[in-house]
Amino acid sequence: HHLKRFADSGLSGVTYVKHYLYDQQRRNCRPNSIRSSFTAIFFFLIHLKSLGRVNIETVTRNDIGGFIEHLQDRGLKPSSVYGRVKSLYAFLNYLAEQNIVHPDIMKKKLSVKLPDSLPRSIDPEDMRRFLSVIQNVRDRAMMLVLLRTGMRIGELLNTKVTDVNLNEKRIEIFEAIKNRVGRVVYLSEDACDALTVWLKERCSPQA
């Protein structure tokens, strides 16, 4: 099906693409991987054709850079651009090993920087179990503040009682550990409750 699309498109390099996809199949690559390879190569060759380039043998590093910009201009997500560029480089590496394209094209490969992924949240049930085993009032208050506000441990340890405003449910951090910039974090209801219990115990005569 993929090769028929290439044949019908009139793009150059069909023979090379055919050999590469069959090579992937022989190496027992997953269908999704072969499909991703086809998509990346297909759109790259379309891009070359739009530039009036008919021979894949003369592809250059600038062509790859232009293709990346083309994908970005189309509004593709960074992860999608990254995947297509990775698949394209795998194909070009195959061609370089066959002496079809110049091997220098694999030097100083262009890359797409992906945004840092957000940390995964803790499952609510796991959180409940974790908090249920913390008996010490101070430890429970500290853990809830860390979990609910995203404060760093060093910031919490440097926090004074006067920095905590339970009525407004917030803590003032006058100088953040990482960037030396002050900020305010806001407390959840359970974190406020835990801090209230701890402050009462801390200020009691028995303490």
Side-chain angles (χ1 to χ4, degrees):
H1 170 69
H2 296 327
L3 294 175
K4 186 177 185 304
R5 283 189 64 186
F6 263 115
D8 294 342
S9 68
L11 296 171
S12 64
V14 174
T15 301
Y16 301 140
V17 176
K18 175 182 177 180
H19 291 165
Y20 179 66
L21 294 181
Y22 275 127
D23 179 69
Q24 283 193 313
Q25 188 178 48
R26 283 192 296 271
R27 289 187 288 109
N28 202 30
C29 292
R30 295 180 178 180
N32 284 343
S33 297
I34 298 176
R35 188 179 301 111
S36 296
S37 296
F38 164 78
T39 301
I41 299 167
F42 184 71
F43 284 106
F44 178 67
L45 293 179
I46 289 177
H47 174 68
L48 286 183
K49 186 178 181 180
S50 70
L51 300 176
R53 306 285 298 280
V54 295
N55 295 320
I56 194 173
E57 296 91 340
T58 60
V59 65
T60 66
R61 191 171 184 268
N62 288 337
D63 294 325
I64 301 172
F67 180 59
I68 293 174
E69 293 178 1
H70 170 69
L71 295 176
Q72 293 171 333
D73 290 342
R74 288 182 56 203
L76 267 69
K77 295 180 179 179
S79 58
S80 298
V81 177
Y82 174 86
R84 290 195 180 181
V85 173
K86 182 179 179 181
S87 296
L88 175 61
Y89 266 120
F91 173 59
L92 293 175
N93 184 64
Y94 171 83
L95 296 183
E97 290 177 346
Q98 304 295 321
N99 295 318
I100 296 168
V101 300
H102 200 284
D104 284 351
I105 201 171
M106 299 305 298
K107 296 180 180 179
K108 296 182 179 179
K109 292 192 292 185
L110 299 173
S111 60
V112 178
K113 181 174 176 57
L114 295 177
D116 295 333
S117 58
L118 294 174
R120 293 178 59 186
S121 60
I122 302 176
D123 183 271
E125 181 59 24
D126 291 339
M127 180 76 71
R128 187 191 65 78
R129 292 177 180 175
F130 172 69
L131 293 173
S132 68
V133 299
I134 303 177
Q135 303 300 322
N136 183 278
V137 174
R138 176 178 176 273
D139 292 346
R140 182 179 181 81
M142 290 182 65
M143 292 308 306
L144 277 168
V145 170
L146 289 172
L147 291 168
R148 304 308 191 205
T149 66
M151 290 177 68
R152 297 177 177 85
I153 293 177
E155 292 173 339
L156 181 59
L157 293 177
N158 289 329
T159 298
K160 301 175 183 178
V161 174
T162 53
D163 300 334
V164 181
N165 189 324
L166 290 177
N167 292 327
E168 297 182 7
K169 298 181 179 179
R170 69 178 197 167
I171 297 176
E172 294 184 9
I173 304 172
F174 289 97
E175 189 176 87
I177 295 296
K178 186 174 182 180
N179 54 22
R180 302 300 179 185
V181 176
R183 60 193 176 103
V184 174
V185 295
Y186 291 89
L187 299 163
S188 61
E189 196 68 40
D190 56 355
C192 277
D193 293 342
L195 278 172
T196 300
V197 172
W198 175 68
L199 287 172
K200 286 181 178 179
E201 181 177 288
R202 179 177 182 272
C203 297
S204 66
Q206 291 80 10

